[in-house]
Amino acid sequence: MASYAIIGGTGLTELPGLSIREAINLETPYGMPSADIIKGEFAGSEVLFLARHGHPHRIAPHQVNYRANLWALKQLGAEAVLAVNAVGGIHRDMRTGQLVVPDQIIDYTWGREHTFFAGDMEHVTHVDFTHPYDEALRLRLIAALRECGCSHSEHGVYGCTQGPRLESVAEIARMERDGCDVVGMTGMPETVLAREIGLPYAALALVVNAAAGKAPGPITMAMIEQALQQGMGDVRAVLAEFLAD
């Protein structure tokens, strides 16, 4: 059985039901991860859990040390990664509360440390990123969603923006023209870094608001927090079903 790592996003700085055996503070060649990595048991499986934004939630999306996070999980024995993301809905089918298993991603970020292959290298290294997410993991997540009966989408293009601000109406219109279905701030470079170090990676995204211009009125943090509280129970149920399989 693979050793799974779960990267929790906004709304999942803790994993209720996780039996903690050890909290590991691990320095990497790229600095410190966002938080101690929790080693324990969840749904009958050994897992590693890392809060992407720290615990408590304190690290903005553009300041997450994605390289340290992925490197540390790999060093501690992770063989695959399940990432949880909070996103905004762009496509009309991506309603608040919907769970999405993305199959493609577009990167709109800038200035982030986005690769392990940098600096004084002996040769240039390229990785294939045609299909950003591991298909076997995606299919298992989809099976878990079906088993749990959660409202979900089995495909989606994740557009990753810089943050920490939300997007303008014009920016969301541009992203929609580009083919994006949901918008978030943490999908990149996390997804490609996992690919670079050979970690199969898939994401489970929770839609917590309609993106700018897709609903009347402004987007408030109160709306997002309410959606997170309502939706994270489904996220935990899907993760438990996935791991129990």
Side-chain angles (χ1 to χ4, degrees), residues 20 48-49 63 77 87 97 99-101 104 139 147 151 154 183 198 201 217-218 223 225 228:
I20 300 173
L48 298 168
F49 177 79
Q63 295 178 316
V87 297
L99 288 166
V100 185
V101 184
Q104 283 293 326
L139 291 175
E147 188 66 27
S151 177
E154 299 180 1
V183 55
Y201 177 102
M223 293 164 46
E225 288 167 7
L228 283 167

Side-chain angles (χ1 to χ4, degrees), residues 103-105 128-135 191 195 201:
D103 61 323
Q104 283 293 326
I105 195 163
D128 177 59
F129 206 51
T130 305
H131 300 288
Y133 301 97
D134 183 83
E135 188 63 12
T191 307
R195 178 64 53 85
Y201 177 102

Side-chain angles (χ1 to χ4, degrees), residues 42-59:
F42 181 69
S45 295
E46 294 284 338
V47 298
L48 298 168
F49 177 79
L50 174 61
R52 184 187 290 114
H53 297 282
H55 181 61
H57 186 287
R58 70 186 190 281
I59 305 172

Side-chain angles (χ1 to χ4, degrees), residues 4-10 12 52 66 70 80-87 94 98-106 129 131-145 151-160 182-192 194-195 199-207 232 234-236 238-239 242:
Y4 290 104
I6 298 170
I7 300 178
T10 301
L12 198 67
R52 184 187 290 114
Y66 296 96
L70 271 298
V81 175
L82 302 175
V84 177
N85 305 93
V87 297
M94 304 299 178
Q98 185 93 346
L99 288 166
V100 185
V101 184
D103 61 323
Q104 283 293 326
I105 195 163
I106 300 177
F129 206 51
H131 300 288
Y133 301 97
D134 183 83
E135 188 63 12
L137 287 181
R138 275 193 3 93
L139 291 175
R140 283 195 58 194
L141 276 174
I142 290 166
L145 281 158
S151 177
H152 68 278
S153 176
E154 299 180 1
H155 300 277
V157 178
Y158 181 125
C160 188
V182 295
V183 55
M185 301 176 188
T186 55
M188 289 294 285
E190 192 174 274
T191 307
V192 74
R195 178 64 53 85
L199 277 175
Y201 177 102
L204 180 63
L206 171 67
V207 180
M232 279 301 158
D234 286 342
V235 168
R236 291 191 293 270
V238 172
L239 293 175
F242 178 101

